Amino acid sequence: MSIHLENIAKHYGRGGQHQALAPLDLDIRQGELIGLLGPSGSGKTTLLRIIAGLEAPDRQPKGRILFGERDVTHLHVRDRRIGFVFQHYALFRHMTVYDNVAFGLTVMPRRQRPPGSEIRARVHRLLEMVQLEQLANRYPAQLSGGQQQRVSLARSLALRPDVLLLDEPFGALDAKVRQELRRWLRHLHDELNFTSVFVTHDQEEALELSDRVVVMSDGRIEQIDTPEALYRAPSNRFVFEFLGDVNQLEGEVRDGVLTCGDARLDVELPDGPRNLLLRPHEVALEAEPSEAAHLPVSVTAISPVGAEVRVELAADWLPGPWLATVRHADFERLALTRGQRLFAHPRHWHRFTAASHSECHATAPMAG
Ligand code: ADP
Ligand code: MG
């Protein structure tokens, strides 16, 4: 089911003085898995609840919500054919796993309710899909957090919703279980072919799971794009900073050279104060400076866990610590240790013109 939002806004509070959503438009295609990503308070939950019909959008401007061709703007939540998963599992504690999943079906009005044999078949199929068949007779208290959330997923799918809405569904779980549940969601989504919208403040989760990500801040949509496009071509500094670690290089450009304290970098930029941004993988480390880059740094911390080594760097001319990710081979070649002095070499950098200007913070190198 495709979803079309047009001119949807939301104010809260007496007299509606608090704007939670500025008027926005959003188109979600049939079968897409969309991540709503943004910091706390950016309006993600509000947007999700409006799609669900749990919250009404402002009357002015006059907005519209379409599910496919159907105008659902004034439709009650129970008539929108939506499944929900929330952060807190909200399972019925006095019911078994089986009964939790079957619940939505068993309480349907008699005329719409499928026959008992079909309910049983459907519930078993769902439990099989989330691999909880063996635990069908357990109670929620006898399950781990990850298992409970799989029951929630199965329960929300029992009514065959057109649209599945998830609000920070994995937020309360530890990192490893969260990884696993992402794969579950992706798998169920692809197999059952519904449209999903999930809220997260975790950029890694959004980038890994979504077909497209909607980046929000302050009640507005900053950018809508595929994970690759977002990462490669962020449309503004907010998006760039929100999507990953950022190193800043501030300095004064004159005649094609940016300087800050004893640091120097050739850049093709007009004269004036400049603020460059680099991702950790865009910072190479070498024992020597080059013609184009003289950026002395010292190593303050090393974390060799993972596919790459994370190296924290400091220098007088830097406004804050830098993070560089280097390959294990380079880590060994350079024999990196804490306190070591070496040189940073930017492979690539970014600049956003709307950024506020800040000065070079370096103190002059001490004499002697
Ligand atoms: P997010 O899910 O991105 O953290 P929310 O949609 O929950 O953001 O909130 C957006 C803004 O609206 C926040 O400033 C929040 O305080 C406010 N807000 C959310 N729900 C209500 C409510 N029921 N009453 C008043 N203000 C609310
Ligand atoms: Mg929220």
Side-chain angles (χ1 to χ4, degrees):
M1 183 70 64
S2 64
I3 302 173
H4 171 80
L5 304 183
E6 196 180 301
N7 233 355
I8 293 299
K10 182 69 182 179
H11 286 76
Y12 288 113
R14 238 179 315 139
Q17 58 302 55
H18 181 77
Q19 178 181 279
L21 287 180
L24 57 80
D25 301 329
L26 177 61
D27 273 295
I28 298 170
R29 295 188 276 267
Q30 150 63 25
E32 262 193 313
L33 205 172
I34 291 281
L36 301 182
L37 173 68
S40 175
S42 55
K44 307 178 297 292
T45 293
T46 300
L47 183 55
L48 199 77
R49 290 174 59 85
I50 287 175
I51 295 173
L54 291 167
E55 202 78 68
D58 290 349
R59 296 223 186 100
Q60 287 300 330
K62 216 169 161 52
R64 285 207 308 165
I65 304 174
L66 305 184
F67 282 8
E69 301 288 301
R70 199 161 56 121
D71 189 329
V72 301
T73 317
H74 302 290
L75 210 58
H76 191 272
V77 50
R78 85 176 157 253
D79 300 318
R80 292 193 187 191
R81 293 185 59 86
I82 279 175
F84 289 105
V85 180
F86 299 104
Q87 178 168 350
H88 295 288
Y89 333 111
L91 295 174
F92 301 115
R93 306 182 59 77
H94 60 289
M95 287 186 197
T96 63
V97 166
Y98 179 96
D99 290 334
N100 264 284
V101 176
F103 179 77
L105 291 165
T106 55
V107 297
M108 285 174 90
R110 193 180 293 273
R111 279 177 298 118
Q112 294 161 27
R113 193 191 316 155
S117 57
E118 196 197 318
I119 293 182
R120 279 191 294 280
R122 226 195 263 187
V123 173
H124 279 299
R125 171 90 186 97
L126 283 164
L127 289 177
E128 191 181 84
M129 289 181 82
V130 296
Q131 283 180 10
L132 286 173
E133 270 185 307
Q134 310 301 321
L135 307 182
N137 294 320
R138 290 228 188 143
Y139 288 87
Q142 299 169 307
L143 302 177
S144 71
Q147 290 169 336
Q148 291 186 47
Q149 209 54 327
R150 266 146 66 193
V151 178
S152 287
L153 261 176
R155 186 179 62 174
S156 65
L157 297 175
L159 291 172
R160 303 211 170 124
D162 295 324
V163 174
L164 182 65
L165 302 177
L166 309 101
D167 195 349
E168 310 253 4
F170 315 136
L173 303 165
D174 65 56
K176 197 140 183 213
V177 178
R178 217 155 61 209
Q179 276 277 353
E180 191 188 293
L181 276 164
R182 285 181 208 164
R183 284 197 292 274
W184 279 110
L185 175 59
R186 186 72 238 188
H187 174 79
L188 288 171
H189 175 92
D190 293 344
E191 178 153 346
L192 298 174
N193 192 39
F194 43 82
T195 302
S196 307
V197 184
F198 79 101
V199 163
T200 182
H201 64 267
D202 178 338
Q203 51 290 44
E204 195 185 303
E205 184 162 288
L207 294 178
E208 185 182 314
L209 196 51
S210 316
D211 293 319
R212 287 190 303 154
V213 179
V214 177
V215 182
M216 299 184 65
S217 98
D218 220 4
R220 280 187 307 276
I221 294 178
E222 297 284 348
Q223 190 170 356
I224 308 173
D225 242 316
T226 61
E228 306 91 271
L230 266 188
Y231 198 76
R232 207 170 359 92
S235 61
N236 58 46
R237 184 169 177 149
F238 173 84
V239 175
F240 186 81
E241 294 198 342
F242 197 68
L243 287 188
D245 292 309
V246 176
N247 299 309
Q248 288 200 54
L249 175 50
E250 296 167 348
E252 188 76 25
V253 174
R254 185 163 302 167
D255 299 329
V257 181
L258 179 143
T259 50
C260 183
D262 56 346
R264 183 171 50 67
L265 177 69
D266 289 0
V267 291
E268 282 176 24
L269 289 173
D271 289 0
R274 302 289 165 212
N275 188 329
L276 311 183
L277 306 175
L278 299 88
R279 295 281 189 213
H281 68 267
E282 293 168 338
V283 180
L285 297 175
E286 292 299 341
E288 303 296 333
S290 70
E291 280 289 300
H294 180 278
L295 304 171
V297 292
S298 55
V299 176
T300 52
I302 297 173
S303 165
V305 180
E308 288 177 314
V309 181
R310 292 163 65 88
V311 183
E312 206 179 280
L313 305 165
D316 290 342
W317 52 272
L318 282 177
W322 270 21
L323 183 68
T325 46
V326 304
R327 293 176 312 162
H328 283 271
D330 290 324
F331 170 64
E332 282 161 29
R333 177 174 60 83
L334 294 162
L336 290 183
T337 52
R338 210 133 58 88
Q340 189 174 354
R341 297 171 150 281
L342 25 75
F343 292 86
H345 294 262
R347 290 195 178 94
H348 187 72
W349 44 261
H350 310 256
R351 194 168 67 95
F352 297 98
T353 40
S356 61
H357 283 299
S358 44
E359 320 281 288
C360 165
H361 290 297
T363 49
M366 303 261 272

